[in-house]
Amino acid sequence: LVTDPFTAVSLMLPIMILQDLMVVLIYRRSYDPGILAVMLPGGIAGIALAYLFAKMVSETVVLGALGVISLMFSIWQMFLYFRGNPSVGLALRHDRALGFLAGVASGFASAIAHAGTPPFQIYAMSKRLRPEVYVGTSVFLFGAVNVLKLPSFAALGLINAPNLGVSALYFPLAAGASWVGSRLVRRIDPQQFKFAITLILLVVSLVLVAQALGQAGLL
């Protein structure tokens, strides 16, 4: 709200990496290696594409596309939930290819605007993971993605001492929020967790669409 998008993402990255380090330690035994095996290579490819085409691809287009896709998926998941079937599996022959493409989308959107979560949610929610495994897998994936983003951010001049100083002010709050979140995940019912994740995705999708419309001057 108060600065340009490139400065905003550079301020957020060190905070996110701190949270990643904390939560990776907490969930070091709770993750799905199969999802990481197909999504992480895609995430690396997505980061490389974002670096190569950073000046050619509009952030507005990325936010709008992610928002619309995530909105449709979350509405469908809500529909299934209220019909008594809170999730639908993806028992497809091309599951690995879909996972790789979801990784590419996550890495690309994360590098452009730290908005890589929706593609991961769309792919991983269908796997019916336990809450702690879902969160652990997410943290391992985006922890790696965020660290891999550092060289490209530095090459673009977005990592500097003044920005790091501002980011450091939020480290205590970020650490405390990560600890509280890890405690809540272990206490929540799996079906309630799926509903909460879907609701979060729905809200995030609406925010992404609103941001895209705002940047396009339509809102």
Side-chain angles (χ1 to χ4, degrees):
L1 294 176
V2 299
T3 188
D4 65 275
F6 287 107
T7 300
V9 295
S10 68
L11 292 174
M12 290 170 62
L13 185 59
I15 300 169
M16 295 164 66
I17 290 176
L18 171 69
Q19 290 182 302
D20 293 335
L21 291 174
M22 282 191 58
V23 187
V24 160
L25 290 175
I26 294 172
Y27 291 98
R28 61 188 179 276
R29 295 185 180 88
S30 300
Y31 62 92
D32 188 305
I35 292 177
L36 293 177
V38 297
M39 288 199 69
L40 188 53
I44 295 171
I47 294 169
L49 289 173
Y51 177 71
L52 292 174
F53 298 104
K55 295 182 179 180
M56 298 172 58
V57 179
S58 168
E59 181 185 355
T60 302
V61 173
V62 174
L63 294 176
L66 276 174
V68 171
I69 294 171
S70 302
L71 182 61
M72 292 189 295
F73 178 80
S74 57
I75 290 174
W76 173 242
Q77 287 291 298
M78 284 289 187
F79 173 74
L80 292 175
Y81 182 88
F82 286 112
R83 287 192 61 185
N85 181 12
S87 183
V88 58
L90 288 178
L92 303 175
R93 290 183 302 169
H94 306 296
D95 182 76
R96 292 181 66 85
L98 289 173
F100 179 82
L101 291 175
V104 172
S106 284
F108 185 86
S110 182
I112 294 292
H114 291 327
T117 305
F120 170 81
Q121 286 181 302
I122 291 172
Y123 181 71
M125 280 177 62
S126 66
K127 304 302 180 184
R128 299 186 175 96
L129 304 174
R130 299 194 314 275
E132 64 272 18
V133 175
Y134 175 93
V135 174
T137 305
S138 171
V139 170
F140 270 85
L141 175 66
F142 288 106
V145 166
N146 287 333
V147 170
L148 291 169
K149 282 168 12 184
L150 278 173
S152 60
F153 273 55
L156 293 171
L158 298 175
I159 303 297
N160 52 59
N163 285 352
L164 288 173
V166 175
S167 298
L169 296 175
Y170 294 90
F171 284 172
L173 178 62
S178 297
W179 183 83
V180 171
S182 69
R183 302 293 293 181
L184 289 175
V185 165
R186 297 178 187 277
R187 296 175 180 270
I188 192 170
D189 174 78
Q191 297 304 324
Q192 293 176 340
F193 178 80
K194 289 178 181 179
F195 178 79
I197 291 297
T198 303
L199 186 61
I200 290 170
L201 180 61
L202 177 63
V203 173
V204 169
S205 66
L206 292 173
V207 171
L208 292 175
V209 171
Q211 288 178 339
L213 292 174
Q215 290 182 13
L218 301 175
L219 185 65

